[in-house]
Amino acid sequence: AVSDVIASVISVKGARFPIVLLYFVNMIYYVLLVFKPMVFCYYVCSLSKLPVGKISYKGGIILSFPFIAAVAVMLSSPWSKAVFYITENHEFFYGELRPVMFYTTVSYLIMSAIVVFTRKNKFRKVMKYSIFVYIDKSVSNILSVILPCER
């Protein structure tokens, strides 16, 4: 939440800041956007006593792959303009691959929901509800960003 506010304020008042700082802050925002659901997915897996919850080498790599791929695409943005880019006039624009960041987030939330549904006897009732509240909140946030709006 803090990274959202900082990235928004710096992007809106971009002319006051160096372009390098604008890229840095936005990169942190996008990394955290994908990192939080990945950590949540690891947490759900560990609660369900799945072997990947112990971060086994093979399971950890498989579960981390969407995060690694999304971050790699995002890190290329200063050159490729894939996720976002900033002009010489300090104007912020979304790149063609920006939705990849949100699809990655959704994939972790879907994986978490699948774990909860398929291993429901491993979770207490209250824990299941709290997990779905997090998933529901995250999906609604993502939809508000993905759906078209006026700029």
Side-chain angles (χ1 to χ4, degrees):
V2 174
S3 65
D4 299 355
V5 172
I6 292 171
S8 296
V9 168
I10 286 184
S11 292
V12 169
K13 301 187 182 280
R16 297 181 183 178
F17 303 100
I19 290 177
V20 172
L21 179 63
L22 297 175
Y23 271 108
F24 179 74
V25 168
N26 281 287
M27 286 182 171
I28 289 173
Y29 165 77
Y30 282 111
V31 166
L32 291 176
L33 180 77
V34 182
F35 183 72
K36 290 181 284 187
M38 181 188 70
V39 170
F40 177 74
C41 189
Y42 272 103
Y43 175 68
V44 168
C45 289
S46 69
L47 288 177
S48 72
K49 311 249 187 309
L50 277 175
V52 76
K54 296 177 184 170
I55 322 259
S56 65
Y57 179 73
K58 185 177 179 182
I61 294 292
I62 291 170
L63 195 57
S64 298
F65 182 74
F67 171 77
I68 293 166
V71 169
V73 168
M74 186 272 307
L75 289 175
S76 76
S77 285
W79 304 276
S80 67
K81 300 179 180 179
V83 176
F84 69 94
Y85 61 98
I86 300 164
T87 66
E88 294 86 26
N89 298 329
H90 294 83
E91 295 174 311
F92 177 90
F93 291 98
Y94 297 132
E96 298 273 329
L97 296 178
R98 180 176 182 256
V100 167
M101 304 304 288
F102 300 102
Y103 298 142
T104 303
T105 299
V106 169
S107 72
Y108 280 116
L109 297 175
I110 289 170
M111 285 187 271
S112 299
I114 289 170
V115 170
V116 171
F117 275 125
T118 59
R119 301 183 59 92
K120 55 187 159 198
N121 59 342
K122 300 286 185 184
F123 296 98
R124 294 189 323 238
K125 198 174 218 173
V126 173
M127 196 178 302
K128 279 189 259 188
Y129 292 130
S130 64
I131 289 169
F132 281 110
V133 166
Y134 176 82
I135 291 172
D136 179 55
K137 179 190 168 300
S138 298
V139 169
S140 63
N141 288 343
I142 291 164
L143 288 176
S144 71
V145 173
I146 291 177
L147 295 176
C149 63
E150 293 293 320
R151 264 188 66 138

